Amino acid sequence: MDRRRFLAGGTAAAAIAPAAAAAAMPPLGPLGAAASLPVTERFTVDGAGWEVREDWSNRDGMLALVRGDVAVLLPKRTEAMHATATPPWLGLSLKAIAMADADLLADALLAGGGDPDPERVRDAAPPSGSEFEADKLGARLGWTSFVGTRQAGDTMPVFPNGRTRGYRPEHVFPALEGDAGAKTRFEGLLGGWLPAVHKAIPIAGGGWYDLIVFADVDADDPLLVQTWHRTVRVVGGRAVATHYGHSYAPFPPRRQNPDAAAFYTALLRFAIVWQGELADLAPTALPDSALTDMVAHAFAKELVVRPGGTYPKYGVVDRDYVGPEYDGFQDIFTSSVYANLEWGRFAQAKAVFDQYFDRFVGENGMVDMRGPEVPQFGLTLSLVARYLRYTGDIATVARVRGKVAATAQILAELHDQALALPATDRGHGLLHGWSESDACLHPDPSLWWKPYWNNSAWAVRGWRDLARVWPVIGTRAEADGWAARADRLEPHLIARIRQSVRRDLTPPYLGPLPGAEGTWRQALATRKRNEQGWSHRVYAELLQADVLPPDLAALVADCVRGHGGTCIGVTANFAPANADHRDQLGFISYGHARALLRLDQIEEYLLFLHSHRFHSHSRGSWVAGEVSGITGDLPLFCIPAQLTIPLLVRWLLAIEDDDADRLDLGRGIPRDWFAGGREIALRQAPTRWGRVDYATRFAAAARQATATLAFAARGPKEARVRFRLPADTKPVSATVDGRPARLAGDAVIIDARGGGRFEVVVRTR
């Protein structure tokens, strides 16, 4: 591959520079709605006077920090952390939902066709973390959210009533003691997405306690997280009592509670720093602003979770998830690099890339983590290729080319071992190995050293993607060797899958590996330790690798949903059928969702998106669970689950074909977004052709939908601009830059190889 041609297709390596941790000026904007708000406090920073203006007429009233005619606007958005739907589970019985092979809740939400209703999806189950009993959690603490900073090496848990491990609001407001009174609370994040917990706990007879907790961004403790607190008693639309705190209870006269000026000065700094941290995030405009905020908050949370913003951690607080034995977990690396690349956060992607390959990958390609997962080696190779294509940063990858090549060689060795098996062996030619890291923790881990489909699927994808870019940093011979292996393995994998489909079941069934006895549910019911354990990973990663022809990919997606493999449309945590729970798998499941979009199962994709938002996350404060039930239990947080929503939102707006020279724009946009007439936009989105701007909207009165797209350099051979208009609206003709254009269903197809700007107009009836 010509080096100059390669670089022309992406962003120059020089573009990879750290985002400013603290902008010189705060994120100021026009006063807007804050102009009419009452002034509640005043403070001074560097000689400049500031006002605090706040609306107490409702729990989501605006908070603004005002200087002259500009303001830092910190809106509030809270969600009920208690069940609001009666009866639960759409009126179905929990036992029926849990025991059924079919996903009964998904079937109900998709019945009748059309996009699923987000509010109905929300009400399909009680909120995550709303019904747990703290005294039954064993050694776990009953925290429901957490705060932190980039620089701190740990995080601080926040409990339902707003207390932390160092500070208790009930010292001043005794009515807040314990968590019983917080059962009916509302939760949110200050500023929409900032890592500042906002709670509203109702008071009998009206009013509420309003609590804000955030970490001190200027604290330099190596591990300890210092925290700021504000607790307000609101009655009759007025703040009748306000108390400020910092980290601990007072110890007079040496340690006193801070005053209002100290709190709001810290809050201003907090807003400045966090705006700077996410300054490189690709801008979006979505009718559902909560999704925009969820994207930003996920990246803020990643910086909080990672010590120094870059060192990997799987979870927080709880020893079993934050312990160092998890730090080298491949999924932490792959989910982070993938999400950061898709949103243009190249500096963070590079920092994570460097940290991982320097600290956790040996010269032989082996990762410093128990139970390496074979498919994740392939995904790592694919992401190395994506990193190169998006950033053009040859130097970063070239520095670790030996480790990357060794990673590819691990898969080659497993391939050679498989080819050496007798032709009659069920795993002949298919890569054997652990698909799930936890397999190695059992007395006999060889039980799971098997030819799972996803092992081979990701070997194909990893080799193929890496081979396409490798000549700019390695040898052509290496690239050709990997491409040849991919070309040899792919048809063999597809043939073996076709041979393994059970068409005697409805829908047709594919087991997680060749020769599997019974369905995975039957197998797990027979023996707890079974080779079909963790099959959820097999299906999700098999679909994500995108090496199956469409008919087989659709069969696998239908198989998963029809044989107990989804929960309210999201990949389920595979376990023996039981009468009292059915769980969502919040992490690794994004690959399953991506396949639904590629298969044009848009309604199912949107159900996945809404369900993950409402049921794999806590409401309002958006803490994502590794595995989340549908009965209000308290899940364990993990960062790969948190980074799922950014991927899903990015892809519904812009998604690349893995092999064809094609970019789909607007493929998964909900019809209601078009119906509302507001602009939908994703700007400066990174792709392998360079940065792309995309904006679209529908003017119902004019019977016209428009889209503009602009490519910084070259573009794809085929840019498909999708218009998922309201169901009663049909496109009848299209133009691109005023000239008649090809309209295929509801998509306009453009040859964008020359790059530049395009204006698409679709006439409707």
Side-chain angles (χ1 to χ4, degrees):
M1 179 182 295
D2 182 77
R3 182 185 182 97
R4 289 167 297 176
R5 180 183 174 195
F6 175 80
L7 285 173
T11 304
I16 303 177
M25 290 291 291
L28 296 175
L31 271 177
S36 60
L37 298 180
V39 177
T40 58
E41 296 287 350
R42 289 183 170 84
F43 63 105
T44 301
V45 178
D46 295 332
W50 289 79
E51 296 175 343
V52 180
R53 301 188 183 191
E54 193 158 6
D55 176 11
W56 290 113
S57 64
N58 65 86
R59 65 175 180 271
D60 292 340
M62 175 70 72
L63 168 60
L65 307 178
V66 179
R67 187 187 71 193
D69 60 353
V70 294
V72 176
L73 300 179
L74 299 172
K76 302 171 188 172
R77 181 199 301 111
T78 56
E79 299 179 55
M81 269 299 297
H82 52 281
T84 56
T86 304
W89 307 300
L90 305 179
L92 300 172
S93 79
L94 178 60
K95 180 178 180 180
I97 293 167
M99 294 297 293
D101 282 345
D103 187 344
L104 299 183
L105 290 173
D107 291 348
L109 292 164
L110 293 171
D115 292 352
D117 178 357
E119 292 188 3
R120 195 158 178 255
V121 177
R122 177 198 64 198
D123 292 340
S128 178
S130 63
E131 298 294 336
F132 73 95
E133 297 180 49
D135 59 354
K136 295 183 180 179
L137 293 177
R140 285 183 60 194
L141 297 172
W143 60 273
T144 52
S145 54
F146 62 92
V147 295
T149 65
R150 168 193 276 273
Q151 67 270 23
D154 209 335
T155 57
M156 178 62 74
V158 181
F159 294 79
N161 75 338
R163 73 186 185 279
T164 65
R165 295 292 281 172
Y167 179 88
R168 287 179 173 265
E170 61 262 43
H171 287 172
V172 177
F173 297 100
L176 291 173
E177 182 179 356
D179 292 329
K183 291 282 287 184
T184 57
R185 73 190 183 280
F186 295 80
E187 292 232 9
L189 299 164
L190 193 62
W193 63 268
L194 297 171
V197 175
H198 173 224
K199 296 172 181 280
I201 300 176
I203 298 173
W208 69 92
Y209 286 102
D210 195 274
L211 301 96
I212 291 174
V213 184
F214 63 92
D216 188 335
V217 295
D218 291 322
D220 59 1
D221 307 88
L223 289 173
L224 180 67
V225 176
Q226 304 279 357
T227 52
W228 287 94
H229 303 258
R230 188 190 77 173
T231 308
V232 182
R233 190 170 189 267
V234 184
V235 178
R238 294 188 308 111
V240 298
T242 303
H243 182 76
Y244 304 96
H246 183 260
S247 298
Y248 314 111
F251 190 92
R254 294 292 183 177
R255 179 188 290 150
Q256 302 282 9
N257 286 316
D259 60 12
F263 176 85
Y264 291 112
T265 300
L267 181 59
L268 178 62
R269 278 285 300 149
F270 173 83
I272 293 171
V273 167
W274 279 107
Q275 289 284 349
E277 290 285 9
L278 267 66
D280 58 355
L281 187 67
T284 56
L286 304 181
D288 187 345
S289 61
L291 286 174
T292 308
D293 287 341
M294 288 189 85
V295 170
H297 182 68
F299 291 115
K301 229 172 200 137
E302 183 190 28
L303 296 179
V304 166
V305 169
R306 287 177 173 266
T310 58
Y311 188 86
K313 285 292 177 184
Y314 185 60
V316 296
V317 183
D318 301 287
R319 174 60 179 80
D320 192 40
Y321 273 38
V322 77
E325 65 273 15
Y326 279 96
D327 295 349
F329 192 36
Q330 293 156 290
D331 297 76
I332 306 174
F333 169 76
T334 53
S335 63
S336 174
V337 171
Y338 208 157
N340 280 286
L341 284 177
E342 292 289 68
W343 283 94
R345 289 179 49 77
F346 293 167
Q348 178 69 5
K350 173 177 166 51
V352 169
F353 188 103
D354 287 341
Q355 179 79 243
Y356 185 73
F357 274 95
D358 287 349
R359 295 285 188 93
F360 297 97
V361 180
E363 295 298 330
N364 63 357
M366 186 53 59
V367 295
D368 193 6
M369 168 66 184
R370 52 105 174 135
E373 298 161 337
V374 173
Q376 291 290 312
F377 285 123
L379 177 53
T380 295
L381 298 178
S382 178
L383 288 172
V384 168
R386 187 175 295 263
Y387 180 87
L388 274 169
R389 286 181 168 226
Y390 276 24
T391 69
D393 180 16
I394 294 173
T396 290
V397 180
R399 186 177 65 81
V400 295
R401 68 160 64 90
K403 293 183 178 182
V404 175
T407 301
Q409 184 60 26
I410 289 173
L411 299 177
E413 291 167 358
L414 294 175
H415 189 211
D416 288 341
Q417 291 174 6
L419 291 171
L421 293 172
T424 55
D425 190 291
R426 65 169 175 166
H428 171 76
L430 300 174
L431 276 70
H432 291 54
W434 295 320
S435 169
E436 165 59 46
S437 180
D438 288 347
C440 76
L441 298 179
H442 290 264
D444 181 12
S446 67
L447 178 59
W448 296 282
W449 191 271
K450 297 289 171 64
Y452 298 107
W453 304 123
N454 52 332
N455 292 350
S456 296
W458 267 111
V460 171
R461 174 54 59 199
W463 284 328
R464 180 167 291 154
D465 288 351
L466 188 64
R468 288 166 174 161
V469 301
W470 192 252
V472 301
I473 58 171
T475 68
R476 169 65 68 181
E478 288 174 312
D480 289 347
W482 296 328
R485 282 190 181 272
D487 290 345
R488 180 179 184 181
L489 178 55
E490 183 181 38
H492 179 67
L493 171 66
I494 292 171
R496 293 294 287 117
I497 287 177
R498 289 197 186 278
Q499 293 167 4
S500 301
V501 173
R502 289 189 56 184
R503 299 189 181 275
D504 58 314
L505 299 178
T506 304
Y509 178 81
L510 174 71
L513 74 168
E517 295 183 7
T519 67
W520 66 263
R521 267 194 156 189
Q522 292 167 344
L524 294 183
T526 303
R527 293 188 307 277
K528 182 178 180 180
R529 291 175 180 162
N530 186 282
E531 68 175 8
Q532 297 193 54
W534 303 294
S535 293
H536 44 242
R537 188 180 278 275
V538 175
Y539 294 113
E541 291 179 339
L542 172 61
L543 287 168
Q544 182 186 356
D546 191 21
V547 298
L548 301 182
D551 68 307
L552 269 188
L555 183 148
V556 173
D558 291 344
C559 162
V560 173
R561 180 175 161 189
H563 291 281
T566 65
C567 176
I568 323 182
V570 174
T571 316
N573 186 48
F574 286 20
N578 63 89
D580 56 10
H581 71 90
R582 186 166 182 146
D583 302 331
Q584 291 187 341
L585 190 70
F587 92 119
I588 75 166
S589 56
Y590 60 86
H592 180 183
R594 189 173 185 269
L596 296 176
L597 188 62
R598 288 199 317 268
L599 291 167
D600 226 27
Q601 296 182 19
I602 308 302
E603 291 82 5
E604 289 81 358
Y605 182 82
L606 291 174
L607 174 59
F608 199 113
L609 169 70
H610 300 320
S611 186
H612 200 285
R613 166 185 173 178
F614 288 119
H615 302 295
S616 284
H617 289 71
S618 63
R619 304 282 172 87
S621 56
W622 296 333
V623 178
E626 179 195 55
V627 175
S628 301
I630 57 171
T631 60
D633 59 342
L634 185 65
L636 277 165
F637 164 83
C638 77
I639 193 60
Q642 195 81 49
L643 293 171
T644 295
I645 288 293
L647 289 168
L648 300 188
V649 173
R650 157 63 202 249
W651 293 332
L652 72 83
L653 295 167
I655 185 171
E656 302 176 31
D657 190 278
D658 288 320
D659 296 309
D661 192 8
R662 189 176 79 217
L663 174 68
D664 280 275
L665 297 164
R667 187 168 187 169
I669 291 177
R671 295 190 187 278
D672 282 351
W673 289 6
F674 272 115
R678 295 175 58 185
E679 183 184 60
I680 306 161
L682 172 64
R683 296 184 171 87
Q684 290 300 289
T687 71
R688 65 178 183 260
W689 304 278
R691 297 276 187 169
V692 175
D693 286 337
Y694 164 66
T696 187
R697 73 190 321 153
F698 174 54
R703 298 178 181 269
Q704 179 175 291
T706 60
T708 57
L709 51 151
F711 296 89
R714 63 188 180 93
K717 178 180 180 182
E718 186 176 300
R720 285 179 172 259
V721 185
R722 186 84 175 265
F723 295 89
R724 296 192 74 248
L725 301 174
D728 59 353
T729 303
K730 304 297 180 186
V732 294
S733 64
T735 60
V736 175
D737 296 334
R739 295 185 292 274
R742 177 184 171 193
L743 184 63
D746 58 1
V748 177
I749 301 174
I750 301 169
D751 185 337
R753 282 174 288 185
R757 184 178 184 277
F758 301 87
E759 183 174 31
V760 184
V761 177
V762 169
R763 301 288 180 182
T764 69
R765 59 175 170 81

